[in-house]
Amino acid sequence: MENSIKTRRDFIRFLGYSSLTLSQISLLPSCTPKTKKENKFPNTQDDVVLADGLSYYPIISWGDQINKKEVFGFNNDFIALHSLSADKLIMWVNHEYVNPVFASGMERTKANIDIEKSLVGGSLLELRKQDGKWKFVQKSTFNRGVRAHTKIPFANGVKIKGSQIVEGTLGNCAGGKTPWGTFLSGEENYDSFYGERDLQTGEVNTKVSYLKWESIYPQNLPEHYGWVVEIDPFSGKAQKHTNLGRFAHESATTIISKDNKCVVYSGDDKNDQFIYKFISESHKNLKKGTLYVAQLETGKWLPLDLEKSPKLKTYFKSQIDVLTYARKAGEILGATKLHRPEDIEINPITKDVFISLTNQKKKGDFHGSILKISETDANHSSLTFKHETFIAGGENSGFSCPDNMVFDKNGNLWLVNDITGNAIGKAPYTAFGNNGLFIIPAKGPDAGKAIQVGSAPVEAEFTGLCFDPAGETLFVSVQHPGELTKDKNKPTSTWPTGKMPKPTVIAITGPLLEKYTR
C-alpha cells in the first residue's frame, strides 16, 4: 500500500467509504478469525484447511461423469453462475490444462492427445440446493462440455488463416459473465498446446508447446487460440470474439458504463505485458467496439485501432493482425509493462477496478501487488483514469503472489494466491506455506488487512472464486494438487481421495462467511 495511506481513516477513504465516520466504523462488527497459530496458518497440510467458522464440501471432481459421453475435465479454474431459481443454478467451469502424468500419458500419441482434448475447455453443469447444500445434478440436460475438439466459429464471420470455424477452446483460465447472461472464458497459455507464430517470419515456435498437440494436429494453428470465448449457458453454443484481442487472457470482467456500453477488462498474464479493455458500441453484445490498452504513466487508454492510432500502420497491414498480435500493438503504442496482470475485478460499491499483479521475479518483485484503477467520473467507458497500488504482497501483508479475486456485495475483497509448486516453502516464500484464501475487509477495525482464512492442499492453488446468488456459499476450484508428481503411483498429494489427487470444485460455507457477506 502506498505510504500516503497511513491510518485506518485514510484506508476507509481510499476504499471509497468516506461517508462513514470513525465512530460509525468502530461500531461495525469485527470478523477477525482467531490467531494464525490457532488457525494453523500458514501450513503445509495436504488438505483444504479453513478458519474456524468455515467448512467445505465437494461439488464435482475430475473424471466424474457429467453425461453419458463426457466427464468433468481436468484442472478446473474459473467459475460462473446463471441462476434459474433460488435453488437451481447453471454453473460454468473452465478447464485450463492437463497434467499428462495423471490424465493421459507422457507419450505424444493421438490416443493420449485425444484424451487431453476431451478434458480442457469448460463444463456446463446443473446444481440444485438440497438440505442447505448445492449438489451436482447428474442427469440434467444442461450438463455438457465445450472442449478442445468442439467446433467453434469466430464471431462476426471473421476468418483467420482461412478458417471461420476452428477446433475447440483450450488454456481456459479466468473469465467473466456478460450483462445478458452468457459466460466468457479467456484462453490463456494457448502456446502450450500448438506453439506460437512470429508475425514477421511466419514461423511457428514449437519449443514453447509443452503438450505438443501440433505433432498430431498441425492443422490447428496458433492463431485460432488466445481469444475470449462466449458460451450460452442453456445450449453450450460458443463463439470466439476477435474484437477483444489475442493474448494470455486471465479475465474478461464486464460492466455496463454510465453511457450504456458493455466494457470488458482483461489482463495478459505474462511478464511485462498489459491491461486491456474493450468498449462495445452496445450494451447487448460484443459485435462492434474498440480494444484499448492501458498507459499508466499518462493515465490513458490507447486504442488498438489502425484508424485511431495510425502509428500501428507502420507494422500492421490489417485490423485483424492488430488484434491477433495485440501484445506487439500495445508495445508500439507505449503501453505500460506490468508484472503479470492476472484477474481483474470491479468493486461493486466504488466501481474502482482492481488488478492482481502476481509477480515478476526477474525484476525482483517476488510477491506482487494489487493495482487499483479509478476511471474518470467512475465511468468505465472513460479513456482516462488514475491509479494507485492498493496493497503489496510480502511478509508484512501476509500474502504473496495474488491471483484470482472476487468482491462480495459489501465490498470485501476475497483473494487467493499462486506461489508455484516448486517454490512453495522455499526462499523467499518460506513464511507462507501452501497457497491460501484471504479476505481484505472493506470496513471495521480490520479494514485493509489481508486475513488468511484458508489453505490449499500440497502444490495446489485455489482459483475461480464465485459466490452463489444469496452470498451464503463461496464456490472455489482446487486446481492441480500434486502438480509436481513424476510417477502417478507416487503422487506428492493424495487430496481429496486419499489415493490420487483430483482437481475439484468445492463449496465453502459457514457463519464466518456470512458475517462478511450478509
Side-chain angles (χ1 to χ4, degrees), residues 20 50 129 134-135 173 196 221 266 305 333-334 352 378 387 436:
L20 290 172
L50 299 173
K129 202 168 190 179
W134 290 103
K135 296 182 180 180
C173 195
E196 176 63 307
L221 307 180
S266 288
D305 183 278
L333 295 183
D352 290 324
H387 74 279

Side-chain angles (χ1 to χ4, degrees), residues 94 155 283 285 294 319 331 401 424 427 509:
N94 278 356
H283 66 285
N285 59 61
Q319 182 60 23
E331 180 184 329
C401 306
I424 291 174
T509 60

Side-chain angles (χ1 to χ4, degrees), residues 174-196:
K177 185 180 179 183
T178 67
W180 47 92
T182 56
F183 302 130
L184 296 178
S185 178
E187 297 179 328
E188 191 192 22
N189 294 318
Y190 57 87
D191 52 355
S192 296
F193 299 82
Y194 293 111
E196 176 63 307

Side-chain angles (χ1 to χ4, degrees), residues 437-475:
L437 169 67
F438 305 81
I439 181 172
I440 302 178
K443 308 175 185 178
D446 300 312
K449 297 178 182 178
I451 302 167
Q452 187 167 3
V453 295
S455 182
V458 168
E459 297 162 12
E461 63 171 308
F462 293 132
T463 63
L465 305 179
C466 182
F467 284 102
D468 74 349
E472 297 174 351
T473 302
L474 177 62
F475 294 107

